[in-house]
Amino acid sequence: MVAPATNVPSVLDGGPVPAEAVAPLIRGIAVLRQLTEAGGTLSLSGLERATGLARSTVDRITATLARMGYVRLDGRDAVLTPRLMELGNAYLAALRLPALLDAHADALADELDESVSLAVGDRDGIRFIHQATRRRAMSLSFRIGDLLPAERTAPGPLFATEWTPADWHRWHERRTADPADLGFPAIPPRTDDSGADFEAYVERARVTGWALDDQLIEPGLVAVSVPVRDPRTGRVACVASVVSHTSRRTATDLREDLLPRLRSTVAAMETELRVRPPAGTPAPPSGLAAWTGASKQELGREFIESLARGLTVLTAFGEGRAELTLTEVARATGLARATARRALITYEHLGYVEAHGRTFTLTPRVLSLGFPPLSHTSLPEIAAPHLAELAGRVDESASLAVLSGDTGAEIQYTARVATRRIVSANITVGTRLPAYPTSMGRVLLADTPEAGRQVRDLAPLTPHTVTDPVAFARVLAQVREQGYAVVNEELEEGLRSIAVPVRDRTGRVVAAVNVAMHTTRRTAEQCVAEVLPELYGTASRIEGELRTAGRFTRVPLA
C-alpha cells in the first residue's frame, strides 16, 4: 500500500491530496518542474532548496530519473535529457494536431516570412504545440510547451469565448493571487494593468472571430490569431497565430495585410481535420513495468520504483491512444490495475490527466515536464555527453561532424571531446576539413547520391590519399555496404580515424561520429575490433535521443 502524499511542495498544490495519491510520484514531478523552470540544469543543492525536499530524497529521485534516462547527473548538477521529451511526445501524439497541421503552419511562415504558432488552451492560460520561427535578431523566442496567461496573448481571448463560469472564477482568483504573473516564467513580469479589460477583449473576439495582441506580452511584440475549430464539435481545437515585431509590422498591418491569409490557412487546417485519417495502430504493451522491477532489484533503496512506474503511465497514451480506460492503461504499461489507478489519481490531482467517465486523457500540462527547454536542443548538445563517455572508454578523441551547408564537399566539426595526450589532432568545434580524405566525410558522402558531383578535386594531401575518382567511388561503395569508414593517413601522415553514421527518424544520415588517434596507438584492425563497437553504441544512443527530440520539434544539426 502506498502511503499518502505528505510534505508536497506548494508549487504543485492542487488542493487536498487524495489519500491514494503516490507521494514519490508527486515529489518526482516537483523535481522535474523545478529543473524545467531552471532551464534544464540545476544543482542538487538547488533542487533541495527549490522543492523543500530533504537532500536524501532529492538524491534518490534524481538517481531514479537518471536510471530512466530522463536526467543526467553531471558532477553536482542534474541535467534534463532529450529522452524526457517522450512524456510530452505522448501528449502531442495523442492530440494529433501538430502532425496534421504543422505543414500548413510552416508553409504560411515561409510565405509571410513571419513566425507562425499553434497553441492550445490550458485552463486560464495557453501552451504552444508548434512553432515555425524565423531566424532574425528580433524574433519569437517562445518554445513548445511554454505557458502564457490568456489575457496577455492573442490566442487567449479566443479560447476564453468557451470558458465556463468556473473557468472565469479561476482566472479572477489567479489574477488576484499573482498580479505580476510570476507564475509564468516564459514572459516578463506584468508591471501595468495589461489584461484588465480582458472580458471586453473576449467579447470582441467572439463577434469578430479573431484576436490581436498589440504588445501585451512585451513592447514590440504583435500577433494576430484565428481559431481552428474541430469540424466534429465546432469547438476551438487550437489557435493559429502570426507573430511579428513592430520594427517590421504594426498591429494594423497584421490585421489588414496578414489576417486574410491566416484565415485562408486556418480554413485549410479545418479541412485537414475534417478528412483526417484514422489514428495509427496502438503500440504493443511496453516492458517498462518489468524493467522497473529489475532496476529496483539492482539498485535497491536508491531506485524509487513507484516514481518510475508512475511516470510510465504517461507513456501509455499516444497516437491511437488518446482516451484510455484504466484497464487499457494497465495493459499498455504492464502495470497492475491498482498501481495504474493510483498513478492516474495522482496525475488527475496535479492536473496532468482528466477523467471523462471511465476514460482518461492527458492535458497540455504534461508539456511542462521538461519540454520547453529541451525543445531547443541541438544535435551537438545531444551528442556531447555521449562523446565524452566514448572518449573516456577508448581513451582517444571523439568528434561529431556534418557536411557543410554551402558546398557539401567539406565537413564541419560541431562537437568534440579531446583527450589529454602529448600528440593529438589540433581540431576545434567549427573546424572545416575536406570531406573526401576523412572518415566522417566518407560516411556522410556514402549516403549522399550527389557525392560524385560534390567531390571533384581529389588533391593528394599525403602520399596515401585516394585521388582517382573511380577508386574513390569504390571506397564510398564499400563504406555504404559495411556501415563505417576507416581512413589511414590520407588527411595527415600519422593520423588514423574510424567513423560511423548518425541517422535521423527517417533513416537519413545527418551526421557522423568518429574516433581519431595517432597510428602508433592502434592498428586499423584494432580500430575495427576495439573501437567500432563503442562507436556503434554511441551512435545508437545519440540516434535514440535524436528520434525522441525530433518527433515534434526541429533539431538543429549545428
Side-chain angles (χ1 to χ4, degrees):
M1 180 69 179
V2 178
T6 56
N7 300 322
V8 180
S10 59
V11 70
L12 292 177
D13 186 13
V17 179
E20 292 182 273
V22 184
L25 180 56
I26 297 178
R27 296 177 183 128
I29 292 292
V31 166
L32 289 175
R33 288 288 299 272
Q34 290 299 328
L35 280 168
T36 300
E37 293 183 10
T41 302
L42 195 59
S43 68
L44 297 178
S45 58
L47 279 171
E48 180 184 1
R49 290 190 298 270
T51 61
L53 298 171
R55 176 57 184 268
S56 59
T57 302
V58 170
D59 289 344
R60 293 180 64 214
I61 289 172
T62 53
T64 302
L65 295 172
R67 179 71 169 189
M68 299 186 75
Y70 292 165
V71 160
R72 173 170 51 86
L73 298 177
D74 184 5
R76 298 179 179 179
D77 292 336
V79 183
L80 297 180
T81 72
R83 184 171 178 180
L84 179 63
M85 294 175 74
E86 70 181 17
L87 303 183
N89 285 347
Y91 165 74
L92 294 173
L95 186 66
R96 297 189 70 199
L97 293 178
L100 292 170
L101 306 182
D102 60 359
H104 295 282
D106 295 347
L108 182 62
D110 290 339
E111 176 188 338
L112 303 179
D113 194 27
E114 298 288 359
S115 295
V116 175
S117 65
L118 298 176
V120 293
D122 186 355
R123 297 195 177 185
D124 61 344
I126 70 160
R127 286 191 194 272
F128 295 105
I129 58 171
H130 181 72
Q131 293 280 12
T133 57
R134 304 293 91 185
R135 287 183 175 271
R136 54 173 62 105
M138 303 294 289
S139 62
L140 184 71
S141 61
F142 296 126
R143 306 160 300 183
I144 296 176
D146 272 335
L147 177 67
L148 278 64
E151 68 274 13
R152 290 177 65 184
T153 69
L158 296 167
F159 287 114
T161 60
E162 298 180 344
W163 281 3
T164 65
D167 295 326
W168 281 107
H169 178 71
R170 180 167 52 238
W171 177 78
H172 282 291
E173 283 192 328
R174 190 259 295 164
R175 290 272 297 185
T176 301
D178 184 15
D181 291 338
L182 299 180
F184 300 88
I187 62 173
R190 178 156 49 92
T191 58
D192 53 25
D193 62 349
S194 59
D197 57 348
F198 183 55
E199 292 173 78
Y201 192 15
V202 172
E203 286 308 308
R204 287 198 299 273
R206 191 190 310 276
V207 172
T208 63
W210 56 274
L212 194 68
D213 167 10
D214 189 358
Q215 308 180 76
L216 292 173
I217 291 178
E218 66 177 15
L221 188 67
V222 290
V224 62
S225 296
V226 172
V228 181
R229 297 188 179 275
D230 187 331
R232 298 170 302 178
T233 65
R235 294 181 61 82
V236 178
C238 67
V239 170
S241 305
V242 177
V243 186
S244 188
H245 193 271
T246 51
S247 60
R248 291 174 52 80
R249 299 178 188 271
T250 66
T252 301
D253 293 336
L254 291 184
R255 183 180 69 248
E256 295 180 353
D257 300 338
L258 303 190
L259 179 57
R261 188 64 193 89
L262 175 59
R263 278 177 159 160
S264 176
T265 295
V266 165
M269 289 179 175
E270 291 177 343
T271 298
E272 194 80 50
L273 296 182
R274 190 175 298 111
V275 298
R276 74 180 75 178
T281 304
S286 70
L288 288 174
W291 176 86
T292 58
S295 296
K296 180 66 174 179
Q297 285 190 334
E298 181 179 342
L299 299 182
R301 186 178 180 278
E302 293 306 303
F303 185 80
I304 307 176
E305 190 173 10
S306 57
L307 168 58
R309 291 189 167 182
L311 289 173
T312 66
V313 165
L314 296 179
T315 66
F317 297 84
E319 185 175 0
R321 307 189 307 279
E323 295 185 63
L324 297 177
T325 64
L326 170 60
T327 299
E328 289 169 335
V329 170
R331 185 184 304 123
T333 57
L335 295 171
R337 276 175 52 91
T339 301
R341 177 174 175 272
R342 289 195 295 269
L344 290 168
I345 289 173
T346 306
Y347 285 129
E348 187 177 7
H349 166 68
L350 297 177
Y352 295 93
V353 163
E354 287 182 348
H356 307 275
R358 296 179 58 251
T359 64
F360 299 87
T361 60
L362 298 182
T363 73
R365 187 172 290 192
V366 174
L367 293 173
S368 71
L369 301 179
F371 215 92
L374 292 172
S375 67
H376 279 193
T377 302
S378 67
L379 179 56
E381 290 171 322
I382 290 174
H386 301 290
L387 293 179
E389 293 175 0
L390 172 63
R393 285 194 297 270
V394 301
D395 196 25
E396 302 287 358
S397 297
S399 305
L400 179 84
V402 298
L403 284 178
S404 63
D406 47 1
T407 66
E410 293 180 321
I411 62 168
Q412 180 176 5
Y413 284 74
T414 57
R416 178 169 168 79
V417 176
T419 55
R420 290 177 176 268
R421 288 188 178 274
I422 296 175
V423 179
S424 61
N426 185 22
I427 295 173
T428 59
V429 171
T431 296
R432 292 192 180 196
L433 295 173
Y436 69 91
T438 66
S439 60
M440 289 192 288
R442 290 181 179 178
V443 162
L444 291 162
L445 290 172
D447 191 64
T448 306
E450 303 83 9
R453 293 193 296 273
Q454 289 174 321
V455 183
R456 298 189 182 104
D457 300 321
L458 303 176
L461 303 181
T462 77
H464 307 281
T465 308
V466 176
T467 58
D468 178 66
V470 176
F472 186 70
R474 287 198 297 267
V475 168
L476 291 186
Q478 182 182 15
V479 170
R480 193 178 301 114
E481 180 180 353
Q482 66 189 16
Y484 67 91
V486 178
V487 170
N488 295 302
E489 302 186 270
E490 295 191 46
L491 177 68
E492 183 175 324
E493 291 193 75
L495 181 65
R496 176 174 291 131
S497 66
I498 180 170
V500 300
V502 174
R503 300 179 183 273
D504 65 10
R505 291 180 60 84
T506 67
R508 182 173 62 97
V509 175
V510 294
V513 177
N514 91 333
V515 169
M517 69 206 73
H518 194 271
T519 53
T520 59
R521 293 205 282 269
R522 281 186 175 93
T523 65
E525 292 74 19
Q526 287 174 319
C527 284
V528 173
E530 300 169 8
V531 179
L532 183 59
E534 297 287 355
L535 271 171
Y536 277 141
T538 297
S540 177
R541 287 184 284 275
I542 294 172
E543 288 172 345
E545 294 194 353
L546 177 60
R547 283 193 296 270
T548 300
R551 186 171 182 187
F552 293 104
T553 66
R554 290 186 178 88
V555 179
L557 300 182

